Amino acid sequence: MKSLTRQFIHSPMGLKLTLSIIVFSLLITLLAAGLQLMSDYKSDVNRIDWQLKNIEKVNLDVLAASLWVIDERLINLQLNALIQLPDISYISINDDGGQRWAAGEKLPTDTIEKSFILTYNAGKDRVPVGVLHVQADLKNIHNNLQNHAMIALLYNAIKVSILIGFILFLAWLMVTKNLQNIIRYCKKIDLNDGNKQQE
C-alpha cells in the first residue's frame, strides 16, 4: 500500500493532478477573499452614505434655524456633536455673510465629502442661509480592510485546503484500488500461456 501511494505521488499523473488542484485552489482562495473584501468595503461605504443621509434628514433644519439667528453657542454645540459620529473627520458651516464655523481636521485624501445647502423656513419662503460641508475619513475603512484581508485569506485557505485533501484522498483511493486490481489480475496470468491464467 505504501509503495503504491509513493508511486502515485511521484508519478507524472499524480504530480500533475496535485499541482492542478493546488493552483486551482489558490485561485479560488484569492477570488473568494477578494469578493469578501469588496463586500466589506461596500458595506462600510454604505454605512457612511447612510450617516450622511441621516445628517441631511435630521440636522439641516436645526442648523439652518441656529444660523438664521446667529446662535454661535448652539451652532458650535451641534458641530461638536456631529464630529463625534463614526468616520466623520471634519464638518464646517459657511453662512451667506462670510462667517465660518468648523470642527475636526480637514484631510487631503481618502475621504468622502458632501455639501448641503442650509435653508431656513421663513413663513412660506425657504431662505438660503449657508452651506454645511461634511467630510468622512476612509482611512479607518482601509486599515480594517487590510486586517480583514489576512483573516479572509487564512479562513478561505483553510477551507480550500480541507477540500484539496479530500479530493486528493479520493483520487488516491480510486487510483490505488485500480492498481491493486491490475496487480492481482497480472499475478494470475501464466506467462508461459498467454491465454491461460494460473490456477
mmCIF file with all atom_site columns, all heavy atoms in Angstrom, residues 62-73:
data_model
loop_
_atom_site.group_PDB
_atom_site.id
_atom_site.type_symbol
_atom_site.label_atom_id
_atom_site.label_alt_id
_atom_site.label_comp_id
_atom_site.label_asym_id
_atom_site.label_entity_id
_atom_site.label_seq_id
_atom_site.pdbx_PDB_ins_code
_atom_site.Cartn_x
_atom_site.Cartn_y
_atom_site.Cartn_z
_atom_site.occupancy
_atom_site.B_iso_or_equiv
_atom_site.pdbx_formal_charge
_atom_site.auth_seq_id
_atom_site.auth_comp_id
_atom_site.auth_asym_id
_atom_site.auth_atom_id
_atom_site.pdbx_PDB_model_num
ATOM 1  N N   . VAL A 1 62 ? -32.372 72.213 11.904 1.00 0.00 ? 62 VAL A N   1
ATOM 2  C CA  . VAL A 1 62 ? -31.942 72.777 13.194 1.00 0.00 ? 62 VAL A CA  1
ATOM 3  C C   . VAL A 1 62 ? -30.738 73.691 12.998 1.00 0.00 ? 62 VAL A C   1
ATOM 4  O O   . VAL A 1 62 ? -30.656 74.791 13.585 1.00 0.00 ? 62 VAL A O   1
ATOM 5  C CB  . VAL A 1 62 ? -31.608 71.652 14.191 1.00 0.00 ? 62 VAL A CB  1
ATOM 6  C CG1 . VAL A 1 62 ? -31.132 72.229 15.515 1.00 0.00 ? 62 VAL A CG1 1
ATOM 7  C CG2 . VAL A 1 62 ? -32.810 70.746 14.394 1.00 0.00 ? 62 VAL A CG2 1
ATOM 8  N N   . LEU A 1 63 ? -29.793 73.256 12.157 1.00 0.00 ? 63 LEU A N   1
ATOM 9  C CA  . LEU A 1 63 ? -28.620 74.087 11.876 1.00 0.00 ? 63 LEU A CA  1
ATOM 10 C C   . LEU A 1 63 ? -29.019 75.375 11.162 1.00 0.00 ? 63 LEU A C   1
ATOM 11 O O   . LEU A 1 63 ? -28.489 76.456 11.455 1.00 0.00 ? 63 LEU A O   1
ATOM 12 C CB  . LEU A 1 63 ? -27.618 73.302 11.030 1.00 0.00 ? 63 LEU A CB  1
ATOM 13 C CG  . LEU A 1 63 ? -26.804 72.230 11.755 1.00 0.00 ? 63 LEU A CG  1
ATOM 14 C CD1 . LEU A 1 63 ? -26.060 71.354 10.763 1.00 0.00 ? 63 LEU A CD1 1
ATOM 15 C CD2 . LEU A 1 63 ? -25.822 72.868 12.729 1.00 0.00 ? 63 LEU A CD2 1
ATOM 16 N N   . ALA A 1 64 ? -29.948 75.267 10.222 1.00 0.00 ? 64 ALA A N   1
ATOM 17 C CA  . ALA A 1 64 ? -30.406 76.457 9.491  1.00 0.00 ? 64 ALA A CA  1
ATOM 18 C C   . ALA A 1 64 ? -31.071 77.450 10.438 1.00 0.00 ? 64 ALA A C   1
ATOM 19 O O   . ALA A 1 64 ? -30.856 78.676 10.334 1.00 0.00 ? 64 ALA A O   1
ATOM 20 C CB  . ALA A 1 64 ? -31.365 76.036 8.380  1.00 0.00 ? 64 ALA A CB  1
ATOM 21 N N   . ALA A 1 65 ? -31.880 76.954 11.385 1.00 0.00 ? 65 ALA A N   1
ATOM 22 C CA  . ALA A 1 65 ? -32.537 77.835 12.356 1.00 0.00 ? 65 ALA A CA  1
ATOM 23 C C   . ALA A 1 65 ? -31.513 78.520 13.252 1.00 0.00 ? 65 ALA A C   1
ATOM 24 O O   . ALA A 1 65 ? -31.636 79.718 13.569 1.00 0.00 ? 65 ALA A O   1
ATOM 25 C CB  . ALA A 1 65 ? -33.528 77.033 13.184 1.00 0.00 ? 65 ALA A CB  1
ATOM 26 N N   . SER A 1 66 ? -30.471 77.772 13.662 1.00 0.00 ? 66 SER A N   1
ATOM 27 C CA  . SER A 1 66 ? -29.414 78.357 14.505 1.00 0.00 ? 66 SER A CA  1
ATOM 28 C C   . SER A 1 66 ? -28.636 79.403 13.726 1.00 0.00 ? 66 SER A C   1
ATOM 29 O O   . SER A 1 66 ? -28.213 80.432 14.276 1.00 0.00 ? 66 SER A O   1
ATOM 30 C CB  . SER A 1 66 ? -28.467 77.262 14.998 1.00 0.00 ? 66 SER A CB  1
ATOM 31 O OG  . SER A 1 66 ? -29.173 76.285 15.734 1.00 0.00 ? 66 SER A OG  1
ATOM 32 N N   . LEU A 1 67 ? -28.436 79.134 12.439 1.00 0.00 ? 67 LEU A N   1
ATOM 33 C CA  . LEU A 1 67 ? -27.691 80.064 11.590 1.00 0.00 ? 67 LEU A CA  1
ATOM 34 C C   . LEU A 1 67 ? -28.503 81.328 11.304 1.00 0.00 ? 67 LEU A C   1
ATOM 35 O O   . LEU A 1 67 ? -27.942 82.425 11.173 1.00 0.00 ? 67 LEU A O   1
ATOM 36 C CB  . LEU A 1 67 ? -27.316 79.362 10.284 1.00 0.00 ? 67 LEU A CB  1
ATOM 37 C CG  . LEU A 1 67 ? -26.114 79.872 9.504  1.00 0.00 ? 67 LEU A CG  1
ATOM 38 C CD1 . LEU A 1 67 ? -24.863 79.874 10.380 1.00 0.00 ? 67 LEU A CD1 1
ATOM 39 C CD2 . LEU A 1 67 ? -25.886 79.020 8.261  1.00 0.00 ? 67 LEU A CD2 1
ATOM 40 N N   . TRP A 1 68 ? -29.805 81.176 11.223 1.00 0.00 ? 68 TRP A N   1
ATOM 41 C CA  . TRP A 1 68 ? -30.692 82.315 10.941 1.00 0.00 ? 68 TRP A CA  1
ATOM 42 C C   . TRP A 1 68 ? -30.604 83.373 12.049 1.00 0.00 ? 68 TRP A C   1
ATOM 43 O O   . TRP A 1 68 ? -30.591 84.578 11.765 1.00 0.00 ? 68 TRP A O   1
ATOM 44 C CB  . TRP A 1 68 ? -32.116 81.799 10.794 1.00 0.00 ? 68 TRP A CB  1
ATOM 45 C CG  . TRP A 1 68 ? -33.153 82.861 10.584 1.00 0.00 ? 68 TRP A CG  1
ATOM 46 C CD1 . TRP A 1 68 ? -34.002 83.386 11.513 1.00 0.00 ? 68 TRP A CD1 1
ATOM 47 C CD2 . TRP A 1 68 ? -33.455 83.536 9.358  1.00 0.00 ? 68 TRP A CD2 1
ATOM 48 N NE1 . TRP A 1 68 ? -34.810 84.349 10.960 1.00 0.00 ? 68 TRP A NE1 1
ATOM 49 C CE2 . TRP A 1 68 ? -34.499 84.471 9.622  1.00 0.00 ? 68 TRP A CE2 1
ATOM 50 C CE3 . TRP A 1 68 ? -32.934 83.460 8.066  1.00 0.00 ? 68 TRP A CE3 1
ATOM 51 C CZ2 . TRP A 1 68 ? -35.037 85.279 8.639  1.00 0.00 ? 68 TRP A CZ2 1
ATOM 52 C CZ3 . TRP A 1 68 ? -33.475 84.277 7.087  1.00 0.00 ? 68 TRP A CZ3 1
ATOM 53 C CH2 . TRP A 1 68 ? -34.510 85.175 7.368  1.00 0.00 ? 68 TRP A CH2 1
ATOM 54 N N   . VAL A 1 69 ? -30.502 82.913 13.288 1.00 0.00 ? 69 VAL A N   1
ATOM 55 C CA  . VAL A 1 69 ? -30.425 83.853 14.419 1.00 0.00 ? 69 VAL A CA  1
ATOM 56 C C   . VAL A 1 69 ? -28.979 84.042 14.897 1.00 0.00 ? 69 VAL A C   1
ATOM 57 O O   . VAL A 1 69 ? -28.739 84.716 15.894 1.00 0.00 ? 69 VAL A O   1
ATOM 58 C CB  . VAL A 1 69 ? -31.298 83.350 15.594 1.00 0.00 ? 69 VAL A CB  1
ATOM 59 C CG1 . VAL A 1 69 ? -32.753 83.315 15.189 1.00 0.00 ? 69 VAL A CG1 1
ATOM 60 C CG2 . VAL A 1 69 ? -30.846 81.962 16.068 1.00 0.00 ? 69 VAL A CG2 1
ATOM 61 N N   . ILE A 1 70 ? -28.027 83.438 14.190 1.00 0.00 ? 70 ILE A N   1
ATOM 62 C CA  . ILE A 1 70 ? -26.595 83.506 14.529 1.00 0.00 ? 70 ILE A CA  1
ATOM 63 C C   . ILE A 1 70 ? -26.374 83.119 15.997 1.00 0.00 ? 70 ILE A C   1
ATOM 64 O O   . ILE A 1 70 ? -25.753 83.852 16.785 1.00 0.00 ? 70 ILE A O   1
ATOM 65 C CB  . ILE A 1 70 ? -25.990 84.906 14.245 1.00 0.00 ? 70 ILE A CB  1
ATOM 66 C CG1 . ILE A 1 70 ? -26.428 85.415 12.891 1.00 0.00 ? 70 ILE A CG1 1
ATOM 67 C CG2 . ILE A 1 70 ? -24.457 84.824 14.311 1.00 0.00 ? 70 ILE A CG2 1
ATOM 68 C CD1 . ILE A 1 70 ? -25.923 84.621 11.727 1.00 0.00 ? 70 ILE A CD1 1
ATOM 69 N N   . ASP A 1 71 ? -26.896 81.950 16.365 1.00 0.00 ? 71 ASP A N   1
ATOM 70 C CA  . ASP A 1 71 ? -26.689 81.437 17.722 1.00 0.00 ? 71 ASP A CA  1
ATOM 71 C C   . ASP A 1 71 ? -25.407 80.604 17.717 1.00 0.00 ? 71 ASP A C   1
ATOM 72 O O   . ASP A 1 71 ? -25.423 79.391 17.474 1.00 0.00 ? 71 ASP A O   1
ATOM 73 C CB  . ASP A 1 71 ? -27.896 80.594 18.143 1.00 0.00 ? 71 ASP A CB  1
ATOM 74 C CG  . ASP A 1 71 ? -27.841 80.195 19.607 1.00 0.00 ? 71 ASP A CG  1
ATOM 75 O OD1 . ASP A 1 71 ? -26.736 80.214 20.191 1.00 0.00 ? 71 ASP A OD1 1
ATOM 76 O OD2 . ASP A 1 71 ? -28.897 79.859 20.172 1.00 0.00 ? 71 ASP A OD2 1
ATOM 77 N N   . GLU A 1 72 ? -24.290 81.268 17.976 1.00 0.00 ? 72 GLU A N   1
ATOM 78 C CA  . GLU A 1 72 ? -22.987 80.603 17.856 1.00 0.00 ? 72 GLU A CA  1
ATOM 79 C C   . GLU A 1 72 ? -22.841 79.454 18.852 1.00 0.00 ? 72 GLU A C   1
ATOM 80 O O   . GLU A 1 72 ? -22.226 78.430 18.527 1.00 0.00 ? 72 GLU A O   1
ATOM 81 C CB  . GLU A 1 72 ? -21.856 81.616 18.039 1.00 0.00 ? 72 GLU A CB  1
ATOM 82 C CG  . GLU A 1 72 ? -21.795 82.656 16.935 1.00 0.00 ? 72 GLU A CG  1
ATOM 83 C CD  . GLU A 1 72 ? -20.423 83.308 16.848 1.00 0.00 ? 72 GLU A CD  1
ATOM 84 O OE1 . GLU A 1 72 ? -19.450 82.731 17.389 1.00 0.00 ? 72 GLU A OE1 1
ATOM 85 O OE2 . GLU A 1 72 ? -20.334 84.381 16.232 1.00 0.00 ? 72 GLU A OE2 1
ATOM 86 N N   . ARG A 1 73 ? -23.356 79.632 20.051 1.00 0.00 ? 73 ARG A N   1
ATOM 87 C CA  . ARG A 1 73 ? -23.242 78.569 21.057 1.00 0.00 ? 73 ARG A CA  1
ATOM 88 C C   . ARG A 1 73 ? -23.942 77.305 20.560 1.00 0.00 ? 73 ARG A C   1
ATOM 89 O O   . ARG A 1 73 ? -23.384 76.205 20.645 1.00 0.00 ? 73 ARG A O   1
ATOM 90 C CB  . ARG A 1 73 ? -23.859 79.030 22.376 1.00 0.00 ? 73 ARG A CB  1
ATOM 91 C CG  . ARG A 1 73 ? -23.681 78.026 23.526 1.00 0.00 ? 73 ARG A CG  1
ATOM 92 C CD  . ARG A 1 73 ? -24.495 78.444 24.736 1.00 0.00 ? 73 ARG A CD  1
ATOM 93 N NE  . ARG A 1 73 ? -25.920 78.351 24.465 1.00 0.00 ? 73 ARG A NE  1
ATOM 94 C CZ  . ARG A 1 73 ? -26.618 77.205 24.520 1.00 0.00 ? 73 ARG A CZ  1
ATOM 95 N NH1 . ARG A 1 73 ? -26.015 76.062 24.829 1.00 0.00 ? 73 ARG A NH1 1
ATOM 96 N NH2 . ARG A 1 73 ? -27.917 77.209 24.276 1.00 0.00 ? 73 ARG A NH2 1
#
